[in-house]
Amino acid sequence: MIDLRSDTVTRPSPAMREAMAQAEVGDDVFGEDPTVNRLQDMAARLLGKEAALFVPSGTMANQLSVRLHTRPGDEIIVEAGAHVVRYESGAAAGLSGVQTCWLPGTRGILQPEQIDAAIRPPDYHNPPTTLICLENTHNRGGGTIYPLDRIGAIRKVAEARGIALHLDGARLFNAVVATGIPATEYARHFETVSFCLSKGLGAPVGSLICADKERVVKLRRLRKMFGGGMRQAGILAAAGLYALDHNIARLAEDHTHAKRLAATLAQLPGVTIDPAHVETNIVVFDISETRRTADEVLAALKAEGLLLVPFSPTTLRAVTHLDASSDHVEQACAILKNVFTRLAA
Ligand SMILES: *Cc1c(COP(=O)(O)O)cnc(C)c1O
């Protein structure tokens, strides 16, 4: 079975497992796990922030950031497809008591004017707008890269209105590798930046939040409150260090594979996709012209050995990753050709 449902399906390699087995550990709730501390230092350095905090998931990284920047009754501005409101089980409302303002983006990307217009004027009828969250790359947008000048323009709006910016950078390194723009250049526009080790970087568990020292102290306390304090977490952090040392540059291969899939899909009957929109490792395509539901097409692909996920009743998503070799991608292309040609017949 070729599994392109998500880049979360990657399994730790033998060398990564070896690094985990060798990890020096201590109690991280006491701040005494040397491997966690090394990972946090490395993450902070990579993003050009003073400090970083290791957390169990990207969801926790986002939600700790929401909690940090807001008070109950505040409003946060997000893009309508953002992970922080679409895939986190209502956590912003449930755990931070904030309401969310969803703005429609173009493949996930917002305009500064849109954000400026959505910020609430100070009036006691209004919830205070206290946070803007951006996502880079944007998952539901199809792996879209946030243009750096757009981020800069949004930063100006946020600063002028005294509002914090959080970056959900679950796949920030995909943007870094695709553009050649250093992570620090993206990160400097945000008070808090999160990224995932457990996606294309290939670690089994974990995310980091990077910020200034004072905010990281507060985040550390909130992490305890949310139940995310871990003990001998160095075993997991060792996988993260291995991932940052070995698996960043190779994300370029995943991008090449995604473009290969997109070029194949663009030729197939019943499929609509603009290959120019495939910027990183995510391929979203429309199947409405097959007149089949996403579930029917997924079942036909699965029967031939290819797993994808539905993104809507008429769109599917494929994600390339560390455990999908060029051979796997060629096989996936052959399966897509067979299935869509048959459905059209
Ligand atoms: C995967 C992902 C997250 C975090 O997901 P977890 O499964 O909680 O680690 C956050 N944001 C985006 C954009 C993601 O793709």
Side-chain angles (χ1 to χ4, degrees):
M1 202 57 91
I2 298 165
D3 194 346
L4 303 182
R5 286 174 301 168
S6 173
D7 44 9
T8 56
V9 302
T10 53
R11 297 194 172 111
S13 65
M16 183 181 277
R17 286 169 191 253
E18 184 56 28
M20 296 171 76
Q22 300 298 330
E24 227 190 306
V25 298
D27 189 330
D28 181 54
V29 170
F30 294 146
E32 290 173 1
D33 188 300
T35 310
V36 170
N37 291 338
R38 269 207 297 138
L39 174 64
Q40 290 174 165
D41 290 347
M42 182 167 180
R45 204 166 52 243
L46 277 172
L47 269 66
K49 296 291 188 194
E50 285 175 2
L53 187 71
F54 185 48
V55 295
S57 69
T59 297
M60 191 181 282
N62 281 339
Q63 295 303 329
L64 288 176
S65 303
V66 170
R67 181 65 183 239
L68 173 77
H69 295 297
T70 63
R71 304 179 67 170
D74 287 358
E75 184 168 67
I76 69 174
I77 293 177
V78 300
E79 198 278 332
H83 197 282
V84 67
V85 291
R86 294 292 289 262
Y87 298 114
E88 300 186 5
S89 207
L95 302 177
S96 295
V98 295
Q99 73 179 32
T100 52
C101 169
W102 299 21
L103 301 179
T106 304
R107 292 183 294 113
I109 308 302
L110 295 171
Q111 295 284 356
E113 299 78 18
Q114 250 179 314
I115 292 175
D116 198 40
I119 296 170
R120 307 280 191 163
D123 174 323
Y124 66 73
H125 294 90
N126 292 337
T129 305
T130 47
L131 179 66
I132 300 161
C133 293
L134 306 183
E135 190 173 310
N136 190 20
T137 65
H138 199 290
N139 173 34
R140 276 197 74 84
T144 330
I145 298 166
Y146 235 104
L148 187 60
D149 56 349
R150 188 73 61 88
I151 293 173
I154 294 171
R155 174 78 213 172
K156 282 212 177 79
V157 169
E159 240 167 43
R161 312 285 293 260
I163 297 170
L165 267 183
H166 169 67
L167 177 62
D168 175 352
R171 296 187 182 83
L172 177 63
F173 287 102
N174 291 86
V176 166
V177 167
T179 59
I181 296 170
T184 50
E185 278 301 299
Y186 285 115
R188 71 188 181 87
H189 295 289
F190 299 87
E191 275 76 15
T192 48
V193 181
S194 61
F195 71 87
C196 288
L197 298 166
S198 57
K199 300 262 161 87
L201 295 180
V205 177
S207 284
L208 287 124
I209 319 174
C210 304
D212 62 25
K213 276 192 189 140
E214 205 179 309
R215 287 193 176 90
V216 170
V217 168
K218 290 183 181 151
L219 286 164
R220 196 175 176 90
R221 185 242 152 189
L222 292 171
R223 182 185 68 175
K224 194 77 187 88
M225 188 171 90
F226 279 34
M230 298 179 285
R231 302 294 176 176
Q232 284 71 34
I235 287 190
L236 301 174
L241 282 164
Y242 184 91
L244 294 177
D245 279 337
H246 296 90
N247 294 343
I248 293 180
R250 66 147 308 284
L251 291 170
E253 273 176 56
D254 300 343
H255 301 168
T256 304
H257 290 159
K259 287 186 174 73
R260 169 83 181 109
L261 285 170
T264 301
L265 284 163
Q267 305 295 319
L268 298 181
V271 174
T272 310
I273 182 173
D274 182 346
H277 289 170
V278 175
E279 300 177 52
T280 55
N281 70 327
I282 297 179
V283 183
V284 177
F285 58 100
D286 186 282
I287 51 146
S288 16
E289 284 177 19
T290 62
R291 294 167 208 264
R292 311 294 168 110
T293 65
D295 286 342
E296 285 168 336
V297 175
L298 287 171
L301 292 168
K302 186 176 177 182
E304 305 244 345
L306 176 61
L307 296 176
L308 306 182
V309 289
F311 238 29
S312 79
T314 58
T315 53
L316 305 184
R317 184 189 75 168
V319 185
T320 55
H321 54 76
L322 182 59
D323 288 356
S325 66
S326 299
D327 281 352
H328 290 136
V329 171
E330 288 313 311
Q331 286 173 51
C333 288
I335 293 170
L336 290 163
K337 269 184 205 159
N338 283 341
V339 167
F340 283 101
T341 309
R342 199 174 65 234
L343 291 178

